[in-house]
Amino acid sequence: MKEIFSKIGNIFTSFEAIDVLEILLFAAVFYYVFRILKNSNVKSVIVVFVLFTLVTGIVFIANEAWSGYAYVLFPLIFSGAVLVVFNVEVKRDIMNIGSPKFISEKTNHQALVSKDEVERYINDIIKALQNMSKDNIGALIILSSDNVPRQVLESGVRLDADISSQLIEGIFFPKAPLHDGAMVINNYKIQAAGCFLPLTQNVNIPKELGTRHRAGIGITETSNVIALIVSEETGVITIAQRGKISRYADYDLLRKTLNDYYWKDLSADGRKRL
């Protein structure tokens, strides 16, 4: 044990500038992974991660052959592992660079909103989805909370319009100019329409699901949003969250999803005002 502490002391007394940079790199990677795990509420994985880091560091320091390369190899190996294990999270953060939420430029969605208004938003969205489903009109609606990447919003047409079933159905009418893209609803406003989304690369998606579904699933893999999809071929309504889909969504599932979205995201800070 004394020998190990002696080696640790020798390492710290022989630091060079490159050693400091490598330690800072490792610290940055460690913080990034810890933040991902914390946001995912995976407490047991955090414990395992910390123990793995400590044990691996001790092994490097205690081994004569590796000790000189500990601060070179470990950050590089660990960075590579992060890119592989957390590829979805890394891709999501890259996509979100420059987005309003990433740079703390939040839109003013905390204006006074009554409970009746929120209920009207929910009812109008459900009504529009069910009407389009009945008529086999394809649609893709994204429910966001200031967290859609800027490049997605810029790919469409900014609207900032009030939510109504008539407007939603009008935008997705087959001959309307914006019907092929996605609509982004940001809390109580239709923020944009005609937006292009990243397609999922998941090979396990059912073959019968087309580009609209792959786009809806893809955006939920890179951003913490909800996608509501109406199939043009079958009229089936699908809900996508975190890369997972729930098909054949009925009224009850749609209302539950929208209730969770509005009362959790829109009114979490302003519920006392409703």
Side-chain angles (χ1 to χ4, degrees), residues 123-133 164-165 168-169:
N123 291 332
D124 276 10
I125 294 171
I126 293 176
K127 179 181 178 182
L129 288 169
Q130 291 186 326
N131 286 343
M132 292 186 292
S133 172
S164 72
S165 59
I168 294 173
E169 292 178 51

Side-chain angles (χ1 to χ4, degrees), residues 172-190:
F172 287 112
F173 186 74
K175 294 186 179 181
L178 303 177
H179 79 281
D180 272 337
M183 172 186 291
V184 177
I185 290 180
N186 186 22
N187 294 299
Y188 61 90
K189 290 284 187 180
I190 298 177

Side-chain angles (χ1 to χ4, degrees), residues 7 60-70 73:
K7 291 178 181 178
F60 267 112
I61 293 171
N63 190 295
E64 286 284 351
W66 296 350
S67 60
Y69 304 97
L73 293 177

Side-chain angles (χ1 to χ4, degrees), residues 32-141:
Y32 182 71
V33 175
F34 185 84
R35 183 172 63 84
I36 291 175
L37 296 176
K38 182 180 179 182
N39 290 342
S40 302
N41 294 319
V42 190
K43 295 182 180 179
S44 59
V45 180
I46 294 176
V47 174
V48 173
F49 169 74
V50 172
L51 291 177
F52 169 78
T53 303
L54 292 176
V55 171
T56 308
I58 292 172
V59 169
F60 267 112
I61 293 171
N63 190 295
E64 286 284 351
W66 296 350
S67 60
Y69 304 97
Y71 293 109
V72 177
L73 293 177
F74 193 41
L76 295 178
I77 294 172
F78 200 66
S79 298
V82 168
L83 292 176
V84 173
V85 177
F86 299 107
N87 64 88
V88 172
E89 288 81 359
V90 172
K91 183 166 65 173
R92 180 179 62 216
D93 283 348
I94 292 174
M95 285 283 292
N96 284 337
I97 292 176
S99 69
K101 190 169 186 178
F102 198 91
I103 59 178
S104 299
E105 294 178 359
K106 304 194 77 171
T107 57
N108 183 22
H109 66 264
Q110 293 184 353
L112 292 175
V113 181
S114 70
K115 182 176 180 180
D116 289 341
E117 285 178 298
V118 174
E119 286 298 319
R120 182 177 64 78
Y121 304 150
I122 293 173
N123 291 332
D124 276 10
I125 294 171
I126 293 176
K127 179 181 178 182
L129 288 169
Q130 291 186 326
N131 286 343
M132 292 186 292
S133 172
K134 181 178 62 177
D135 296 332
N136 282 19
I137 295 175
L140 174 53
I141 299 174

Side-chain angles (χ1 to χ4, degrees), residues 194-241:
C195 298
F196 294 99
L197 307 179
L199 301 182
T200 181
Q201 302 303 312
N202 188 343
V203 297
N204 296 320
I205 300 298
K207 301 293 184 184
E208 64 269 22
L209 299 184
T211 303
R212 182 175 284 111
H213 288 81
R214 299 190 71 86
I217 296 168
I219 189 65
T220 68
E221 292 174 337
T222 57
S223 300
N224 186 21
V225 298
I226 301 170
L228 307 174
I229 311 160
V230 181
S231 171
E232 187 175 351
E233 289 75 23
T234 63
V236 171
I237 301 175
T238 299
I239 300 173
Q241 291 181 271

Side-chain angles (χ1 to χ4, degrees), residues 118-127 129 141-143 163 185 187 226 228 239 241 250-266:
V118 174
E119 286 298 319
R120 182 177 64 78
Y121 304 150
I122 293 173
N123 291 332
D124 276 10
I125 294 171
I126 293 176
K127 179 181 178 182
L129 288 169
I141 299 174
I142 306 304
L143 304 177
I163 296 171
I185 290 180
N187 294 299
I226 301 170
L228 307 174
I239 300 173
Q241 291 181 271
D250 58 10
Y251 176 87
D252 291 336
L253 183 55
L254 289 172
R255 173 159 284 279
K256 179 182 183 305
T257 300
L258 287 161
N259 278 339
D260 290 344
Y261 165 68
Y262 275 106
W263 298 120
K264 176 182 177 182
D265 295 327
L266 172 63

